[in-house]
Amino acid sequence: MKKKFSHASRYILLTVLLLIYIFPFLLVLINSFKSKRDVIKNPLVIIGSEGFQPGNYILAMKWMNFGNVFINSLVITIVSVGLIVLFSSMTAYLFARCKWKINKIFFSLMILSMVIPFQVLMIPIVSVYGSVLHALNSRITLICLHVGFGVSMGTFMFNGAIVSSIPAELEEAAKIDGASKLKTYSSIILPLLKPTVVTLVIIDSLAIWNDYLLPSLVLVKKELYTIPIAAQSFHGDFSSDYGLMMAGMVLSIIPILLLYFVLQKHIIEGVVAGAVKG
């Protein structure tokens, strides 16, 4: 009886926590189908006094120029995350297997760089890239900055995974078979780092897709805007259309949800593997 009561209390507690967690998203979803007046007057009512407003999504897409900003965000996110995974995994492999003294210095510097807040660096970065290099208003510049800020954490994660879970004997066997360092990395090391790759892809995709501050500093031309910058257009100096704003927020969330559903299997496998190892 006590066991059943304990299980029931856990399920009830988890259900309550789930509802608390998803409540903000449900609130945004509900209000995305309301008029501006209904959002302000009755934000908790499912259907407002002016009825269901699915047209908010069409207006939001037109106002944001959604097709263009979606492609911008998609290209910047995919290229940035791909380069972060590639560079950080290769760097971590070098640091983990080549016991050079300079590697320890570089690895320590990369860890220290993770402590420095971006807000401390943003003014010098804009000054250098804008007035000196004249490289603002460029997707390539934004991608390079994302990669530069993301490689340190990626290297730290991959280094820990290589040292703790990939035995050096595998690489020695590959070397005996005549495999080069690059072949060993691509055929043995990288496939074994799949859980870490998935974790890093999710973390960096969320960070880069939702980033507002860095793109707002680098991208000034409207045709280069990403989704978070375009969503700001719903907020004016004197008034804001909250219904359209909520619709724009839902549109910006959908790609990340799709990414989660695609990688859900690998996420669960990684969590279960970690639990079994523990």
Side-chain angles (χ1 to χ4, degrees):
M1 187 70 181
K2 288 182 179 179
K3 199 172 184 180
K4 289 182 179 179
F5 178 75
S6 175
H7 282 301
S9 355
R10 287 179 186 176
Y11 285 127
I12 292 170
L13 178 61
L14 289 173
T15 303
V16 171
L17 291 174
L18 175 64
L19 291 173
I20 292 172
Y21 183 77
I22 66 172
F23 178 74
F25 174 73
L26 292 177
L27 194 62
V28 169
L29 184 62
I30 290 169
N31 285 291
S32 68
F33 293 100
K34 294 181 187 177
S35 65
K36 175 183 174 181
R37 188 166 71 177
D38 284 333
V39 174
I40 297 172
K41 188 177 179 181
N42 297 308
L44 297 178
V45 175
I46 296 177
I47 299 177
S49 59
E50 297 184 24
F52 203 57
Q53 302 285 333
N56 283 352
Y57 284 86
I58 297 173
L59 290 174
M61 292 179 73
K62 289 181 179 178
W63 200 334
M64 293 171 66
N65 192 10
F66 187 77
N68 185 59
V69 298
F70 175 80
I71 291 173
N72 288 338
S73 291
L74 191 66
V75 169
I76 290 168
T77 302
I78 290 176
V79 176
S80 299
V81 172
L83 291 176
I84 288 171
V85 170
L86 178 64
F87 291 157
S88 56
S89 59
M90 294 179 74
T91 305
Y93 179 49
L94 178 68
F95 286 165
R97 294 298 186 242
C98 299
K99 304 299 182 181
W100 304 332
K101 289 184 178 180
I102 195 167
N103 279 356
K104 294 181 179 180
I105 297 172
F106 284 143
F107 185 67
S108 300
L109 290 174
M110 293 185 80
I111 300 303
L112 288 172
S113 70
M114 294 167 59
V115 182
I116 303 172
F118 167 71
Q119 289 79 4
V120 176
L121 303 174
M122 63 182 185
I123 300 301
I125 284 174
V126 173
S127 299
V128 171
Y129 277 87
S131 58
V132 179
L133 300 178
H134 303 288
L136 296 181
N137 282 317
S138 171
R139 296 187 192 94
I140 296 174
T141 299
L142 184 58
I143 289 169
C144 289
L145 289 172
H146 279 310
V147 172
F149 284 111
V151 164
S152 295
M153 186 182 71
T155 302
F156 176 74
M157 292 175 62
F158 281 122
N159 184 78
I162 292 170
V163 171
S164 62
S165 62
I166 301 180
E169 288 78 8
L170 288 175
E171 299 161 51
E172 292 173 3
K175 186 177 180 182
I176 292 171
D177 290 339
S180 63
K181 286 283 186 183
L182 186 59
K183 182 68 175 176
T184 302
Y185 161 79
S186 59
S187 301
I188 297 175
I189 302 298
L190 197 56
L192 292 174
L193 291 173
K194 192 182 200 179
T196 309
V197 170
V198 172
T199 303
L200 193 64
V201 165
I202 293 170
I203 292 172
D204 285 334
S205 295
L206 283 168
I208 294 171
W209 184 271
N210 295 322
D211 187 25
Y212 172 81
L213 185 56
L214 187 56
S216 67
L217 294 173
V218 176
L219 306 176
V220 180
K221 295 179 180 177
K222 286 187 177 181
E223 58 267 24
L224 298 177
Y225 278 2
T226 57
I227 288 179
I229 305 177
Q232 181 67 17
S233 61
F234 298 116
H235 180 72
D237 293 332
F238 303 102
S239 64
S240 301
D241 196 321
Y242 296 108
L244 295 183
M245 187 185 297
M246 301 294 180
M249 290 172 66
V250 173
L251 289 171
S252 67
I253 292 169
I254 289 173
I256 292 298
L257 289 178
L258 292 176
L259 176 67
Y260 173 77
F261 288 127
V262 170
L263 298 179
Q264 184 180 17
K265 178 184 175 183
H266 302 294
I267 296 168
I268 295 172
E269 285 177 357
V271 172
V272 172
V276 171
K277 287 179 183 177

